[in-house]
Amino acid sequence: MKLSFTDFRGDLFGGLTAGIVALPLALAFGVSSGLGPSAGLYGAIVISFLAALFGGTPTQISGPTAPMTALSMVIVASILAANNGVIEQALPLILMVFVLAGVIQILFGLVGFGKYIKYIPYPVISGFMTAIGVIILITQIQPILGYYVKDDTQYIESLIPLAEEQILEEIILEEAQRGILVLEDFTETIENAGKISRDQIENQAQSIASKNSSGVIGTINSLSRAIQSISWIEIILAFSTIFIIYGFKRITNAVPSTLVALIVVSAVAYLLQSNGIVQYAPIQRIPEGFPKFNIDIFGQINYLDLLPYVAMAITLAFLGAIDSLLTSVIADNLTKTKHQSNRELVGQGIGNSVAAVFGGIPGAGATIRTVVNIQSGGKTKLSGIMSSLVLMIILLALGPVASEIPAAVLAGILVTVGIGVMDFKGLKAVMKIPRTEVTIMVIVLVLSVFWNLVYAVGIGLVLASIFFMKKMGDVSKRYSRVGTILKEKAWKDEKGIDKKILETVFIKHLDGPLFFGFTSDFMNLIHQLPKTCKVVIFRMSRVPYIDQSGLYAMEEVLMELSQKEIKYVFVDLQPQPRLLMQSIGIVPTLVSSKHIFRNFQNCKKWLIQEITHKKQLKS
C-alpha cells in the first residue's frame, strides 16, 4: 500500500494517458451492462484507484473490461427479469451480487487461489473469450440499426394483453399470500384489478418488451423489427466510429484512436443535430457530481433473494481473477518485474466491492490500459491512482457534455472491442489441435453465446477434466501393458536375466500416475497373469503420484495376489505413494519393508536367492 513518488513524472503521464483511453471504454461498457454509462464511469474510477492502492501489480490499470461487462450484462438482465424490469426494484440486488463477487475475490487472494489460475485449460479460456466477443457484437446490432424497443409502440401495444395477464397473476398471488383470496367470490380481486392504471399496464408491457429483446436470443428475435425501423444516421455514426478507430491507428498510436473517434464523431453529430440536420439517440444522462455512496443497499434486500445468484457471483469473481492475473503477467513481461498474484486478487476484490456500493459495474486488470500506462512511463501504483483521478475530473467537469454522446458511437466502439477480445489465434488452430480440445472450445463458445456463461464455463472445465483423465489413463495403459517381460520391451537393467527365471516371474512396468482413470485396467492384472507366475515385481520409479482410487486398487490387487500365494515386491517406491500406502497399512501389513527395494539390482539379488531357495526346498 506504500506509495512511491520517485517516478512521479512517468506515473503522471502514464495515468493521464490510461485515464483518457479508459473514458470511452468505461462509458461503452456501462451502456452495454444495462446500468447506463455512469455505472461504467463509476466502476472505472473506484476500481482503478483501489486496485492500484491495494493490488500486487504496480503498473496495472484496472476498470470495466469486456469479459466482466458481458457477464455483468447477463446478471443485470436476469435480475431485472425477476423484478418485472423495474430497475429501481432490481438495483439493490444487482449491486449486492457485485459486492459479493468482490468479497469472493478477496477470499480467493487470502486462501492463495492466485497460483492455481494457471491450471485453467486454454480451450475453456479460448471458447469463453471468443463467446464474449460474439455476444458483444450481436448485442450491438440494435443500437447500430437505431432500434430501441422502448420506442416501438406497435410491439409494446401487442404485449398489452400479456401485461394485463401478468399483473392479474401478481394480484392473485399477493392475495393468496395474505390469505384473502376466495375462489368462490373474486369481488376483492376485481376491485384490486380495477385500481391498476393504464400507465402501469403500459410499463409492464414495456418491461416484457425489454426482456424479450435483450441478450443474444432477444436481439436475434427482434432483428426483423429492427430492420423495419432502420435509422441510417445511427448506422453512419457507428461505422464512422469503427472506421476512425481502425484507420487512425495506421497514422499514429501516439493518441488513442478510440478517443479520437469518440470526440470527432460525437462533435460532428452534435453540430448537425443542433442545426436540425439530423436526429440521433444520445446515451443516458450522466449524473453530475460525486457518485452516491449507496450504503443503504445492505438493508434494502432480503438476503435469501441473493442465493440464486451466488453461482453467478462466484463466476464473476473467477473471471475477474483470470482477467486480472493474465494482465499482470503481461505487465511483468513488459517491466521485467514480478507481481504478487494473491495480493492482486485482494486489491481487485476491494475495488469491485466498493465500486458496487457506488453503483459501478465490476472490472478487472485491463490489458490495453496497462500497456498504455507502461509505454507512457508509468512505473508505480501512483499511475493507477492518477488514472482514476483523471476520470473523476472528467466526470465532474464534463458530465453534461458526455451525456450528449450518440449511443451509436459507443456501439461502434464496442464492436471493435468485441472483435479485439475474440481469440483468433485459437480459432485459426482449430484444424491443427486435438479433437477433444476443439470440442471443449466449441461447446464453451456455443453454450456461452446461446445459453448461459456460468454453466458454459463449468461444463467446459468438467469436460476438460474428463478428457484429461481419459488421456492420462490411455498414456498409463500404453506404457504399463500387462504381459510377461518377453512380450513387452524390457528396461535396460532387466536385460540378461535368465529365461528360466522369467517363466515364474512377472515384471509389471508402471509409467505415470496411478489414479482413478487407470484403476480398472490395473486391477485386470490378476486375471491376465500366466499360470506359471510365482512372483510379481512392481517397477514404481515412474509413478510419482497415486490417488485414493489407485491406492485401494493397489490394495485389492495385493490381497488377491496373497490369496493366490503369489509373492510381490516393489522397486524404487516414490515418497508420495509410499506415504499413502503407510497411511492405510499396505506398508508394512501387506508389503514388508524388506520387500521394497531401492533399485532393480538389489531386487534381482533377492530374486535369485528366492528361486534358489525354492529349488533347494524341492530337492
Side-chain angles (χ1 to χ4, degrees):
M1 204 168 79
K2 185 178 179 181
L3 295 179
S4 172
F5 291 87
T6 55
D7 296 290
F8 180 78
R9 181 183 175 84
D11 290 334
L12 176 63
F13 282 108
L16 176 63
T17 309
I20 292 172
V21 171
L23 174 63
L25 296 175
L27 295 172
F29 288 141
V31 172
S32 179
S33 72
L35 294 182
S38 57
L41 202 51
Y42 295 164
I45 292 169
V46 177
I47 299 171
S48 180
F49 187 93
L50 295 179
L53 190 62
F54 296 102
T57 313
T59 56
Q60 180 138 287
I61 304 296
S62 302
T65 62
M68 293 292 279
T69 302
L71 186 51
S72 299
M73 177 176 64
V74 173
I75 294 171
V76 171
S78 176
I79 297 177
L80 268 176
N83 287 272
N84 301 315
V86 182
I87 186 64
E88 292 78 10
Q89 185 177 322
L91 188 59
L93 187 56
I94 292 170
L95 297 182
M96 275 306 301
V97 172
F98 293 165
V99 169
L100 179 60
V103 171
I104 293 170
Q105 278 188 314
I106 295 172
L107 294 176
F108 281 169
L110 294 178
V111 300
F113 178 76
K115 61 186 176 184
Y116 297 110
I117 294 292
K118 61 184 177 183
Y119 297 113
I120 305 299
Y122 182 81
V124 175
I125 296 175
S126 176
F128 184 79
M129 296 304 290
T130 301
I132 294 297
V134 173
I135 290 170
I136 290 174
L137 292 176
I138 293 177
T139 53
Q140 297 316 303
I141 292 175
Q142 290 183 12
I144 287 175
L145 296 179
Y147 176 76
Y148 300 93
V149 70
K150 67 180 188 302
D151 299 326
D152 192 345
T153 54
Q154 185 178 357
Y155 177 56
I156 293 173
E157 191 66 28
S158 70
L159 295 173
I160 291 294
L162 180 59
E164 292 174 337
E165 178 185 328
Q166 288 187 0
I167 291 173
L168 183 58
E169 285 179 357
E170 290 173 7
I171 291 173
I172 293 173
L173 180 62
E174 192 267 339
E175 289 179 353
Q177 290 174 342
R178 289 169 55 198
I180 61 173
L181 178 64
V182 182
L183 297 179
E184 294 80 8
D185 184 6
F186 283 97
T187 303
E188 187 163 351
T189 304
I190 294 171
E191 288 180 4
N192 288 331
K195 297 176 184 177
I196 303 300
S197 66
R198 177 68 182 181
D199 287 343
Q200 287 177 287
I201 296 172
E202 289 181 352
N203 288 337
Q204 183 72 7
Q206 275 193 357
S207 297
I208 298 171
S210 298
K211 179 182 176 181
N212 292 347
S213 301
S214 64
V216 172
I217 302 299
T219 300
I220 294 172
N221 290 336
S222 63
L223 189 58
S224 59
R225 297 194 304 274
I227 292 174
Q228 291 172 7
S229 58
I230 284 179
S231 171
W232 290 105
I233 183 61
E234 307 286 344
I235 292 177
I236 292 171
L237 291 175
F239 279 93
S240 297
T241 303
I242 296 170
F243 177 78
I244 292 175
I245 289 174
Y246 286 126
F248 195 79
K249 286 180 180 179
R250 297 193 173 189
I251 300 173
T252 179
N253 286 318
V255 182
S257 61
T258 305
L259 184 66
V260 173
L262 175 72
I263 294 174
V264 171
V265 180
S266 298
V268 172
Y270 181 75
L271 288 174
L272 292 175
Q273 180 171 259
S274 300
N275 293 319
I277 300 174
V278 300
Q279 195 72 26
Y280 66 81
I283 62 174
Q284 299 174 28
R285 190 181 70 83
I286 298 175
E288 298 180 35
F290 285 96
K292 180 183 176 183
F293 192 62
N294 303 299
I295 192 65
D296 53 338
I297 63 169
F298 294 102
Q300 290 180 352
I301 68 165
N302 180 350
Y303 283 85
L304 292 176
D305 295 337
L306 194 60
L307 292 178
Y309 305 104
V310 170
M312 285 187 172
I314 293 173
T315 306
L316 193 61
F318 187 67
L319 177 60
I322 295 173
D323 208 1
S324 298
L325 295 184
L326 287 177
T327 303
S328 295
V329 171
I330 293 172
D332 285 349
N333 291 334
L334 291 173
T335 59
K336 309 303 179 186
T337 57
K338 181 68 176 177
H339 74 277
Q340 300 175 47
S341 57
N342 293 317
R343 183 171 178 176
E344 182 62 35
L345 293 183
V346 171
Q348 294 290 336
I350 293 172
N352 282 323
S353 296
V354 178
V357 180
F358 277 104
I361 60 174
T367 304
I368 295 176
R369 279 159 269 177
T370 299
V371 171
V372 166
N373 174 44
I374 294 169
Q375 292 177 340
S376 301
K379 292 182 180 179
T380 74
K381 294 173 177 290
L382 194 60
S383 59
I385 295 173
M386 288 293 182
S387 173
S388 171
L389 295 177
V390 167
L391 291 173
M392 176 63 79
I393 292 170
I394 292 173
L395 170 67
L396 297 177
L398 302 175
V401 175
S403 297
E404 298 297 328
I405 294 172
V409 171
L410 295 188
I413 291 173
L414 285 171
V415 166
T416 64
V417 171
I419 294 172
V421 81
M422 293 173 69
D423 183 28
F424 290 105
K425 180 181 178 181
L427 292 173
K428 289 177 182 177
V430 163
M431 302 304 293
K432 301 175 184 177
I433 59 179
R435 287 184 181 180
T436 54
E437 298 193 6
V438 174
T439 301
I440 294 168
M441 186 176 71
V442 171
I443 287 175
V444 172
L445 170 59
V446 173
L447 293 183
S448 296
V449 173
F450 295 104
W451 184 39
N452 187 294
L453 284 164
V454 179
Y455 296 149
V457 172
I459 291 172
L461 290 172
V462 170
L463 285 176
S465 300
I466 292 173
F467 286 142
F468 175 76
M469 295 306 170
K470 172 68 167 59
K471 190 181 297 181
M472 290 298 99
D474 291 343
V475 170
S476 297
K477 184 177 179 181
R478 186 187 313 148
Y479 288 106
S480 304
R481 297 181 298 275
V482 175
T484 66
I485 194 170
L486 297 177
K487 292 184 180 180
E488 68 177 83
K489 188 176 180 180
W491 290 0
K492 288 182 179 180
D493 56 2
E494 296 167 359
K495 294 178 180 179
I497 299 178
D498 192 332
K499 291 184 178 180
K500 290 183 179 180
I501 293 178
L502 295 176
E503 291 176 359
T504 59
V505 176
F506 172 75
I507 301 178
K508 177 63 179 173
H509 299 105
L510 290 169
D511 198 325
L514 181 57
F515 67 110
F516 65 85
F518 176 55
T519 52
S520 60
D521 292 293
F522 179 71
M523 291 171 68
N524 284 331
L525 166 70
I526 299 299
H527 308 294
Q528 299 181 41
L529 289 175
K531 293 181 180 180
T532 58
C533 181
K534 299 299 180 183
V535 178
V536 176
I537 299 174
F538 292 96
R539 300 295 306 267
M540 301 289 288
S541 61
R542 300 180 185 177
V543 183
Y545 173 80
I546 182 171
D547 70 355
Q548 190 172 14
S549 299
L551 187 67
Y552 291 133
M554 176 65 77
E555 182 182 41
E556 189 171 332
V557 166
L558 297 181
M559 291 175 68
E560 288 198 39
L561 288 174
S562 295
Q563 290 173 4
K564 292 178 180 289
E565 296 183 347
I566 298 175
K567 290 190 175 184
Y568 45 83
V569 297
F570 287 88
V571 178
D572 198 9
L573 186 61
Q574 298 299 300
Q576 193 270 351
R578 181 164 188 158
L579 185 63
L580 282 186
M581 288 181 184
Q582 289 173 340
S583 69
I584 68 167
I586 293 179
V587 178
T589 306
L590 292 177
V591 186
S592 66
S593 298
K594 67 179 182 179
H595 287 154
I596 300 176
F597 300 98
R598 293 184 62 183
N599 54 60
F600 190 71
Q601 293 302 319
N602 293 340
C603 177
K604 191 163 33 173
K605 291 178 184 177
W606 169 86
L607 185 60
I608 293 171
Q609 292 173 358
E610 180 72 16
I611 293 174
T612 303
H613 179 66
K614 284 186 177 181
K615 286 181 178 179
Q616 289 174 351
L617 290 176
K618 286 183 179 180
S619 61

